[in-house]
Amino acid sequence: MFFIFITIFSCDQTTSMRIFLFLRMGFMMARMSFLSFLLFCLTSVAHGNKANKHKPWIETEYQGIVMENDNTVLLNPPLFALDKDAPLHYAGEICGFRVHNGPGGSGSAQFEAVVLDRSTGEGLVRSKEPLDCESQKEHSFTIQAYDCGEGPDGTNSKKSHKATVHVRVNDVNEFSPVFVERRYEASVPEGRLFDRIVRVEAVDADCSPQYSQICFYDIITPNVPFTIDNDGNIKNTEPLDSKRQRVHSFWVTAFDCGKNRAQADAQVIVTVKPSCKPGWIGWTKRTEYTPGSGSIPLFPNLHLEACEETVWNIQATVELQTGHIGKGCDRDSYSDRSVRRLCGAVRGEVDLLPPPSPATNWTTVLPTLPSSDSSLVFSFNGSTHVAVVPDSVASAVSGDHFTLQLWMRRGGASTQPLANQARGTRKEEETIICSTVKNDDSYSHYSLSVHGCRLSLFYWPDVSAARPVKFLWKLEQVCDSEWHHLSLSVQFPSVTLYVDGVTFDPALIHDNGAIPNPAPHQRLVIGACWEPEEKPRDIVNNTMLESKETGKFVSGYKGLLSGVTVRPGNVEPHSVVECLYACREGLDFGDLETLGSGMKVHVNPSQSVLVLEGDDIESFNRAVQQVTYRNSLRFATPGVRPLKLTTSLRCFSEESCLSLRQLEGYLVVLQPDAPQISLSGVGPHLARPAAEFEGPQGVPLFPELRIVCSLSHAVNTAAQGMEGGALMSDAVAHTLDGCEVQPLGEELNPEREELLIDMEALKERGLDIINTTAYIAITGAESISVYEDVLRSIRYRLAKGSARFERRFRLSCSEMNGRYTSNELTVEVNFLHSLDSLYHPSHLLASQQQFLHPSHHTGELSGHTLPNPHRNSVVPGAATVIIMVCVGFLVVMVILGVFRIRSIHRRGEGARGGSKEGSNQWDDSALTIIVNPMETYENRMGIATDMEGECDDEEEVVDSPDDTSDDQRIIIKKEGRDSAPRRY
C-alpha cells in the first residue's frame, strides 16, 4: 500500500486520478461476491473479445537521467501505458513502444523502449550504446505505445499519442586536472611582500560542474616561502632576498571537486631581482653647451624606472631658469634702437628714458643698475625717483594712435614675488607713465598703472569734454618680480596689449563716470603722476591762463624700467612685437613626428617651461630624450642656467603609487670664441699737401680701410626655427653696431678743423651719429661692408692757413653693443709744406716764435718758407720739425755771432782809433742756408739726430746775458732731446 501511495503522489494529476479510480474499482470488486465478480469478468472478457475500442494512454512528457557508465534511463514519471479495454485479453494489453526522432531530429538511433509487463503496460527506456556527457549532455526524442489488437496477430492494434522524452546524461569523474602550462616563471624585486607573484591554472575535461571545476591547488615542495590559494595565485610569505637565494623553484598540483589529482604537476620558478629604486636613471647634473651648436639634447640617456608599478598617467615638467640672464633670457646684444630696426619696426619712436647727457638731462636724477645685456636699467623707489620729460619731447608723441613699449620688473632689484604683497599690504596704485599732451586744440590724457596683479590703462580722449575709459587686465606677470616686455598699441577706442609677445584682451572696460578733469597742461611723467594742489584760474580756448601751479607727485612706481619708447602713428604689427621680445634660447622638442601615441608636449611662450604628458612609460622615455636646449645666438651669453625636472605619476592603485623627488641640475653655456675684428688697409702715415686739406672736400682719413672678422660662422638652419632667428642670429653674426673716430691729443678746434661725413647716407642706412669735438661715434647694427663705406667717406678738412705739421686720429669698432671690440687703428696725418728761401732773419724769428709758445699756437706754421731750389719737394713731418728747429737755432747763433763781432769791432775801433783790423769785419749780407730736398726720410732722421747733438753742444756755449731768454732755451732743449713727437 505504501508503494502504491508513493507511486500516486509521484505522478502527475491526470495519471494519479486514473490510478485512484482503478484502485477504487478494485475495492468495489472485493466487496462483490465471488460469483458476481466471476460473472462480471466473464461478461467483460466475452465483451472484450468482440472489439478493441480504446487507444493506449501514456504521459505527454518524460524527464530521464542516464549515467555515462549505464544504459538504463530512469524516467520521471515511470513509463506506464494504460488501456481502457483492460482487462480484455489482447485489446487491454500493451504489446510495445516505438521510439521516434525528437524535435532536433536525433535520438531514435541511440535509444530503445521495451515492455516489461503487457498487462500493466510497464515499460523501460535504455540506450543502445554507452553515452558520453562530454560529447552531448542532453538527448530528446518521442515515444509511442501500442496495444495487442483483437488477437494474437495484432489485428486492429491501436497507438497512443506521442510523448516527448528528455534524457540528461550524468557525468562521471573520468578525467583528471591538466595544467595549462607545464612551467611558470616570474621575476620580483627583493624586500617586498606581493599580493600575487604568479598565477597557475589547471583545467578538467569533465562536463559537469562538479567534476570539471578545480577545487584547490597545493604546493607539494616543502619548506618554500610561498603559498597558493584556491584560484592558483602564488605569493610570498616573507620578503625575498636575492643575496640569500636568487632563484626559487617548486612544484604545484591541482585537485578537482571529485578529488582527482592532476595528471602532471607544474613547475614554478621565481627569480628575485635586486631591490628596484623607482625614479629617473641616467640623470646628468651638469650639461655643457658650446655656442653655435644649435640644439643639443638635455637628457640623452635618461629613462624612468617604475619598478613594474602600473601607471596610467605620467607628467614631467622641465624648467629652465634664465631670469638672471639679461631680461629673462638670452637675447640679441644690440641696442634697443638697433633691435627695432632689425625686427622691421617702423621708425619714429621716441626714447622717453634715454642715457643721461646734457641734451637728455631728465634722466640724470634716476639711479641706474648694471645689466648683463648692456642695456640701461633705471630704478624707481616710488617717491623721489621721477622723470619729467620736457615738453619739446612730449609734444612729439601726441595723438590717439600710438604704441608704448617698455621692459618692467616690479619690486626693484629684489626677486621676491609681489603676489602675496598684492593680496596683503601692498594695496596702493603705482603709475608707470602719466601723460597729458596737446592734440591740436584739445588735451588728451592717459596713464599706465599697476595695482597688485592688475594692469590698467586710464585714457581720457579730451580732458575738457570726454569721459575717461579704463582698460583693466589681470596678469600674473605683473606681480612675479621678473622681467617682462609690455607693448601697448592704442587706436582708440581699440587697445591691444602684448605681454612677452602674447596678446591679452582687457578683462574689464568701463566708463569711470564723472571725475575731476586733469589740468589741461602738457606734462609727461615717468614713475609717478602729477597732482596739482589747486586748479588753474581760467581756461580760455583750451589754454590755461598764467597762474603758478603747485602740486606733488603721487602713485609712485617701485621697480625697474628699461627701453621705454613711444611711437606715434600706426601701431606695430604682431610679428614685430614678437621679434622684439623673442628669446634666442629656450627649451624645444627634437622631432614631433617621432612622438608616440598618447603623448602631449606643451611649451610656454618664453620657452622656459616644457611639459610632457603620456600614459606609456616606454613612449615617455623616448620623448624625454628628445627634449633639447637651443640657443640661436652665435655669441651666447656665457653662464649657468639652472634646470629642474618635476615628475608626477598616477597609478591604478593610488595607495601604492610612486612619488618621485624633484631633480635639479644646471646647463653651462661656455664662453664663445670672441671674434677678432681687424681694422687695416691704412698706413701709419697719411701725407698730403696742406692745400688738399684746405680744399672744400678735405682729405679722406681712411680711403682704403678694410674690416675683417677672423671668426667664420657656418649658418645653422636648425638654430633658426624661431621667427626672426635667421635675421638676428647667424645671418648678422658679423654685424657691427658702432665705430668711433677720435683725435688724439687736443680736441678738434671748430674754427680751424673739422671732420666731414655724409649725413644723408647715414640716414638712408638707418645709422645714428654723435659728432663732437672729442670724437665722432657712428652707431647702429649694420653689415661690415656698410661700415667700410661710411668710414671711407669720413674726410678731414682744415681752414685756410691752419695747416700744421701733423695730426693723429684713432679708429675703433665694436660688435654686439660693445661686447667685442676691434684693434685701435691709429693714423698720423702729415701736412706737406713747400719750403722757400728765407731771405730775412725776421722770417726765421717769426718761425721760431711758433715753437716758443706751443700752448697758444699749436702746430701753426703758415706763410713761412725756406730757400730751396726744389719748392715742391716733400719732407716728412717729424724730420721737418727737427730740421726747422736746428736751422732756427743756427740762424740765431749766426745773428748773435754777427752782433758780437760788430760790438767787438766797435770797441776795437774806439781803442785803436780806426786801425786796419776794422778791415776784418764779417760781412753777412750774403749768408744763406741750403737744405737738400732729395735726401731720404731715413737720412734726414739721422742728420736730425746728429744736428740735435750739435745743438746740445752749442747750447752749452750760449751763456751770455744778451742771448735769448731762459724760457726759449728750455723749450728748445725739451723739444730737441727729451720729448717724443707731440700727440694731437
Side-chain angles (χ1 to χ4, degrees):
M1 292 295 294
F2 178 77
F3 176 76
I4 293 174
F5 282 106
I6 292 299
T7 302
I8 293 174
F9 285 108
S10 64
C11 299
D12 56 20
Q13 185 177 1
T14 305
T15 306
S16 300
M17 288 297 296
R18 292 176 178 175
I19 294 175
F20 180 75
L21 294 175
F22 180 78
L23 292 177
R24 186 177 179 181
M25 184 183 298
F27 284 121
M28 292 176 63
M29 288 190 298
R31 294 171 61 181
M32 295 174 61
S33 62
F34 178 74
L35 294 177
S36 299
F37 177 75
L38 181 61
L39 178 63
F40 173 79
C41 289
L42 293 176
T43 306
S44 298
V45 170
H47 179 75
N49 291 334
K50 293 181 180 178
N52 186 7
K53 297 181 179 181
H54 300 91
K55 295 180 179 180
W57 177 90
I58 58 176
E59 299 289 341
T60 58
E61 186 176 9
Y62 295 89
Q63 302 291 337
I65 299 174
V66 62
M67 303 297 295
E68 282 185 317
N69 56 359
D70 192 8
N71 64 346
T72 301
V73 179
L74 301 178
L75 294 179
N76 182 22
L79 181 59
F80 282 95
L82 301 179
D83 195 323
K84 291 183 178 181
D85 294 330
L88 295 178
H89 189 54
Y90 297 113
E93 296 178 352
I94 303 301
C95 282
F97 296 92
R98 290 188 177 91
V99 178
H100 304 278
N101 289 334
S106 62
S108 61
Q110 295 178 310
F111 295 91
E112 62 181 0
V114 296
V115 177
L116 298 180
D117 187 352
R118 294 175 63 178
S119 60
T120 61
E122 182 182 0
L124 176 67
V125 177
R126 60 189 178 188
S127 61
K128 298 179 181 178
E129 57 187 19
L131 301 178
D132 188 6
C133 175
E134 288 73 29
S135 299
Q136 187 173 353
K137 292 183 178 182
E138 295 182 353
H139 300 270
S140 295
F141 54 90
T142 60
I143 189 171
Q144 192 176 28
Y146 60 94
D147 56 18
C148 296
E150 296 179 353
D153 56 356
T155 304
N156 197 20
S157 174
K158 296 185 180 293
K159 301 176 181 179
S160 69
H161 62 273
K162 292 182 179 180
T164 303
V165 181
H166 299 284
V167 178
R168 184 178 72 249
V169 182
N170 278 357
D171 187 25
V172 177
N173 193 9
E174 55 185 325
F175 296 101
S176 297
V178 177
F179 281 98
V180 177
E181 297 182 13
R182 297 294 304 273
R183 182 188 180 108
Y184 294 87
E185 295 183 3
S187 298
V188 293
E190 64 180 355
R192 293 176 57 186
L193 291 175
F194 297 90
D195 294 334
R196 185 177 73 179
I197 296 177
V198 66
R199 182 177 182 272
V200 298
E201 183 181 5
V203 295
D204 195 308
D206 289 315
C207 67
S208 64
Q210 180 181 1
Y211 301 126
S212 63
Q213 290 183 357
I214 306 300
C215 278
F216 63 94
Y217 296 86
D218 190 18
I219 298 177
I220 60 178
T221 303
N223 301 325
V224 292
F226 299 94
T227 183
I228 188 170
D229 59 15
N230 293 339
D231 295 327
N233 298 313
I234 298 176
K235 63 180 181 179
N236 55 328
T237 57
E238 62 184 40
L240 304 178
D241 189 356
S242 62
K243 297 179 181 179
R244 186 173 61 184
Q245 187 174 353
R246 182 67 182 273
V247 179
H248 295 266
S249 177
F250 53 92
W251 296 83
V252 297
T253 189
F255 294 87
D256 61 17
C257 293
K259 297 185 179 181
N260 274 3
R261 181 175 171 174
Q263 292 181 352
D265 301 327
Q267 185 183 16
V268 180
I269 298 176
V270 178
T271 303
V272 183
K273 298 186 299 183
S275 59
C276 174
K277 296 181 179 180
W280 291 103
I281 299 177
W283 172 261
T284 302
K285 189 172 184 180
R286 174 189 173 97
T287 304
E288 293 185 353
Y289 178 81
T290 303
S293 302
S295 298
I296 63 168
L298 289 176
F299 320 113
N301 302 315
L302 189 65
H303 66 277
L304 179 62
E305 176 59 57
C307 297
E308 300 184 359
E309 184 70 36
T310 305
V311 297
W312 63 270
N313 182 267
I314 314 170
Q315 182 173 318
T317 302
V318 183
E319 181 180 358
L320 178 69
Q321 299 180 9
T322 58
H324 61 291
I325 305 297
K327 297 186 183 71
C329 63
D330 206 357
R331 293 183 174 87
D332 293 275
S333 299
Y334 297 104
S335 63
D336 291 339
R337 187 179 298 271
S338 297
V339 172
R340 288 182 57 82
R341 184 177 156 291
L342 291 173
C343 287
V346 181
R347 300 178 186 177
E349 73 279 358
V350 177
D351 193 354
L352 300 183
L353 289 180
S357 67
T360 57
N361 56 3
W362 67 87
T363 59
T364 56
V365 297
L366 300 177
T368 58
L369 299 178
S371 176
S372 59
D373 60 355
S374 303
S375 62
L376 199 59
V377 176
F378 295 92
S379 177
F380 294 82
N381 61 1
S383 57
T384 59
H385 296 164
V386 178
V388 180
V389 182
D391 292 346
S392 58
V393 178
S395 60
V397 294
S398 60
D400 58 357
H401 286 58
F402 61 89
T403 299
L404 173 65
Q405 294 187 352
L406 57 93
W407 288 92
M408 67 169 292
R409 176 178 172 180
R410 293 279 304 281
S414 65
T415 58
Q416 182 180 3
L418 300 176
N420 295 331
Q421 298 180 6
R423 290 189 294 266
T425 60
R426 196 175 183 83
K427 294 291 186 180
E428 66 276 7
E429 186 176 47
E430 303 177 15
T431 301
I432 299 175
I433 182 171
C434 186
S435 172
T436 302
V437 295
K438 185 176 182 180
N439 302 319
D440 297 331
D441 296 332
S442 63
Y443 286 87
S444 63
H445 174 87
Y446 73 87
S447 63
L448 183 66
S449 306
V450 288
H451 185 194
C453 291
R454 290 174 173 83
L455 179 73
S456 62
L457 174 67
F458 186 79
Y459 189 78
W460 207 316
D462 188 351
V463 298
S464 63
R467 303 174 69 179
V469 179
K470 190 172 186 179
F471 301 86
L472 189 65
W473 295 267
K474 186 176 182 180
L475 304 170
E476 293 294 332
Q477 293 89 335
V478 175
C479 54
D480 62 359
S481 296
E482 298 291 341
W483 278 107
H484 295 285
H485 181 264
L486 272 64
S487 178
L488 194 67
S489 298
V490 178
Q491 284 182 307
F492 191 78
S494 174
V495 176
T496 304
L497 174 67
Y498 299 95
V499 180
D500 298 338
V502 180
T503 308
F504 288 89
D505 295 327
L508 181 64
I509 304 174
H510 62 86
D511 189 343
N512 265 25
I515 62 175
N517 295 35
H521 179 74
Q522 184 162 281
R523 179 178 281 110
L524 178 56
V525 181
I526 298 177
C529 202
W530 176 259
E531 182 180 272
E533 292 184 356
E534 59 180 20
K535 295 183 180 180
R537 297 176 182 175
D538 292 307
I539 299 177
V540 178
N541 295 329
N542 288 332
T543 302
M544 183 177 63
L545 299 180
E546 282 191 16
S547 62
K548 186 177 180 181
E549 184 183 18
T550 60
K552 60 181 179 180
F553 293 108
V554 296
S555 303
Y557 171 73
K558 188 175 182 180
L560 305 179
L561 293 177
S562 178
V564 182
T565 62
V566 175
R567 188 183 63 81
N570 295 331
V571 299
E572 299 283 10
H574 189 192
S575 59
V576 173
V577 177
E578 286 183 342
C579 178
L580 292 173
Y581 168 73
C583 289
R584 304 307 172 197
E585 67 173 340
L587 300 173
D588 203 353
F589 193 81
D591 188 5
L592 292 175
E593 295 182 357
T594 62
L595 196 62
S597 60
M599 291 295 303
K600 299 178 182 179
V601 180
H602 310 276
V603 184
N604 68 334
S606 62
Q607 294 188 305
S608 61
V609 178
L610 185 145
V611 180
L612 286 175
E613 187 175 358
D615 53 9
D616 179 68
I617 293 182
E618 294 300 326
S619 299
F620 197 86
N621 287 335
R622 290 192 297 268
V624 167
Q625 297 173 3
Q626 291 287 329
V627 177
T628 62
Y629 168 80
R630 58 117 191 100
N631 194 320
S632 58
L633 292 178
R634 285 296 303 180
F635 307 110
T637 303
V640 175
R641 277 82 163 163
L643 271 173
K644 290 183 180 180
L645 177 60
T646 306
T647 311
S648 63
L649 302 178
R650 293 183 179 180
C651 310
F652 290 100
S653 176
E654 294 295 339
E655 297 179 356
S656 62
C657 197
L658 304 177
S659 177
L660 304 182
R661 65 181 181 87
Q662 184 183 68
L663 297 181
E664 296 184 357
Y666 55 92
L667 173 75
V668 180
V669 178
L670 302 179
Q671 184 74 32
D673 295 333
Q676 303 297 326
I677 307 173
S678 175
L679 307 180
S680 61
V682 179
H685 296 280
L686 177 64
R688 294 288 188 276
E692 294 186 14
F693 289 95
E694 296 174 353
Q697 300 297 328
V699 175
L701 283 179
F702 316 104
E704 298 179 357
L705 176 66
R706 290 190 60 199
I707 305 177
V708 178
C709 184
S710 61
L711 184 63
S712 60
H713 301 269
V715 176
N716 188 352
T717 57
Q720 300 172 2
M722 68 178 356
E723 184 176 354
L727 173 62
M728 302 182 62
S729 306
D730 297 314
V732 293
H734 300 304
T735 296
L736 299 181
D737 56 12
C739 288
E740 182 178 288
V741 180
Q742 179 183 6
L744 299 179
E746 297 182 358
E747 296 182 2
L748 296 176
N749 188 344
E751 298 179 358
R752 295 181 301 178
E753 56 187 343
E754 63 179 340
L755 292 176
L756 303 177
I757 191 169
D758 189 355
M759 302 299 296
E760 294 297 330
L762 289 179
K763 184 178 294 186
E764 291 178 0
R765 291 179 168 90
L767 299 178
D768 299 323
I769 184 171
I770 302 175
N771 193 350
T772 66
T773 59
Y775 64 92
I776 286 183
I778 303 172
T779 59
E782 259 301 347
S783 63
I784 290 179
S785 61
V786 171
Y787 268 93
E788 284 181 339
D789 294 340
V790 171
L791 295 175
R792 289 170 185 170
S793 67
I794 296 179
R795 296 173 175 270
Y796 178 57
R797 189 174 69 86
L798 294 173
K800 292 292 184 180
S802 300
R804 56 178 66 190
F805 294 108
E806 67 178 19
R807 192 62 148 127
R808 302 179 71 189
F809 294 91
R810 181 173 60 198
L811 171 65
S812 62
C813 295
S814 65
E815 184 178 2
M816 306 296 290
N817 206 15
R819 182 175 172 185
Y820 302 107
T821 57
S822 69
N823 61 309
E824 294 183 351
L825 180 63
T826 303
V827 177
E828 181 179 301
V829 179
N830 300 124
F831 311 100
L832 304 182
H833 302 272
S834 59
L835 304 179
D836 298 328
S837 298
L838 302 179
Y839 296 103
H840 306 286
S842 62
H843 289 187
L844 296 177
L845 289 174
S847 176
Q848 180 185 4
Q849 294 299 322
Q850 297 182 17
F851 293 92
L852 293 178
H853 305 285
S855 61
H856 301 288
H857 306 282
T858 307
E860 295 183 6
L861 183 61
S862 59
H864 304 295
T865 58
L866 294 176
N868 196 326
H870 306 280
R871 296 178 57 88
N872 296 326
S873 62
V874 177
V875 182
T880 302
V881 174
I882 296 175
I883 292 173
M884 294 302 295
V885 171
C886 293
V887 169
F889 182 77
L890 288 175
V891 170
V892 172
M893 295 302 296
V894 170
I895 295 173
L896 292 176
V898 171
F899 288 158
R900 179 180 290 273
I901 291 172
R902 287 183 177 180
S903 63
I904 294 174
H905 179 66
R906 293 190 185 97
R907 289 196 297 270
E909 287 181 345
R912 288 185 292 272
S915 64
K916 291 182 179 181
E917 294 177 0
S919 60
N920 294 329
Q921 182 180 0
W922 183 14
D923 184 8
D924 61 343
S925 61
L927 178 62
T928 59
I929 299 175
I930 301 175
V931 179
N932 184 5
M934 299 304 294
E935 290 178 327
T936 64
Y937 175 69
E938 290 80 0
N939 293 335
R940 291 177 183 272
M941 292 299 293
I943 294 172
T945 304
D946 296 337
M947 292 176 66
E948 181 181 357
E950 294 175 3
C951 294
D952 294 338
D953 296 339
E954 293 174 1
E955 181 185 2
E956 296 176 358
V957 181
V958 182
D959 55 359
S960 172
D962 297 331
D963 295 344
T964 56
S965 64
D966 293 339
D967 186 43
Q968 177 183 355
R969 184 174 68 250
I970 291 174
I971 291 177
I972 294 174
K973 183 177 181 180
K974 293 290 184 181
E975 292 290 344
R977 175 180 296 176
D978 299 332
S979 68
R982 185 176 296 275
R983 297 162 60 99
Y984 295 94

